[in-house]
Each structure stands twice: as C-alpha cells, then as structure tokens.
Amino acid sequence: MNWTRFLLAVLLSGFVASITDWLFMGVLFHNKYLATPEIWRNKPGQPETRSILLSSLLGLLSCAVFLYFCVWAGIISSHPATFHTALLLWLAAPVPIIFSNIVWIKMHLLLGVSHSLGWLARFVVTAIIGNWLIH
C-alpha cells in the first residue's frame, strides 16, 4: 500500500466528511436542537470550537479506519464492494447507537435521521475518495 496516497485519502475524505457533517448534523433540522437544550453540553451562545475540533478528529479517525479496513479486506478498488461495506458498517455502528440514544435521551427523531444520514454520507464519501486515490 502506498502510505502517502492512503494519508492523502484520509485527509481529503476527513475534510469532505466534515462538510457533510456540518450539513447533516448542524444545519439540517437545526431548530430541533433548541427544542431540548438541556441534553446538549454547549448552551446556545457558548463557543463550540472545542466540541467541533474533537468531533472532527474522531470523524477523521473513522475515515482512516474505514479506508484501512477496505485496503485490508482487498476491496478498495471495487466500487460496489466499498459501497456495500459502507452501508453495512453504517447499519452496524452509527444507526443502532443513534436510535438507541433517541429511545433513551430526549433527542428529536429528525435529529437522529439527519445524524444517521450524515454518517452514511461520511462512509460513502470516504469510499469514493478511497477508490479514487488508493487503488
């Protein structure tokens, strides 16, 4: 594996995924966050820089792990296989966690839908960039 291309794919997919995070987890249904302010660490008007930075770093880690798994499994050059893996990983990890949170926390259903779609977008973007740069 070419580690330079791998690192470039991780950084590029992390950057693009942060934009999809902003859209799906920040902009879409933004007013629903304000419906239950007591469940969020940051209150309206407080700076969110630290939280955004930590979330972005975790998102970058998820891109790296997903790409490494695809390389390890030998599916990085196959678009259908990486998209299938992205879908399975999405259904196995973020979807159950997010919807369990909806069951147990006063989190609006639409936020769960948008956060779930944001994770799917992250994995799909990472699959596209990985197939383009790493194969």
Side-chain angles (χ1 to χ4, degrees), residues 2-70:
N2 183 332
W3 286 102
T4 304
R5 292 177 76 81
F6 178 81
L7 183 59
L8 182 61
V10 168
L11 292 174
L12 186 58
S13 62
F15 174 74
V16 175
S18 71
I19 294 170
T20 63
D21 285 352
W22 169 78
L23 176 64
F24 284 101
M25 300 177 198
V27 175
L28 197 61
F29 307 121
H30 182 74
N31 61 333
K32 301 302 180 193
Y33 291 104
L34 303 176
T36 54
E38 66 275 8
I39 67 170
W40 306 105
R41 290 192 184 275
N42 295 340
K43 303 301 177 208
Q46 287 182 339
E48 297 177 337
T49 307
R50 182 176 182 275
S51 298
I52 292 170
L53 180 62
L54 290 173
S55 294
S56 297
L57 289 174
L58 288 170
L60 189 67
L61 177 65
S62 72
C63 293
V65 170
F66 176 70
L67 285 174
Y68 188 81
F69 177 78
C70 289

Side-chain angles (χ1 to χ4, degrees), residues 100-113:
S100 290
N101 284 342
I102 289 172
V103 169
W104 291 101
I105 300 171
K106 287 188 340 184
M107 185 175 172
H108 198 281
L109 177 63
L110 290 177
L111 289 177
V113 170

Side-chain angles (χ1 to χ4, degrees), residues 78-89:
S78 168
H79 289 290
T82 53
F83 291 138
H84 187 82
T85 303
L87 181 65
L88 290 175
L89 180 61

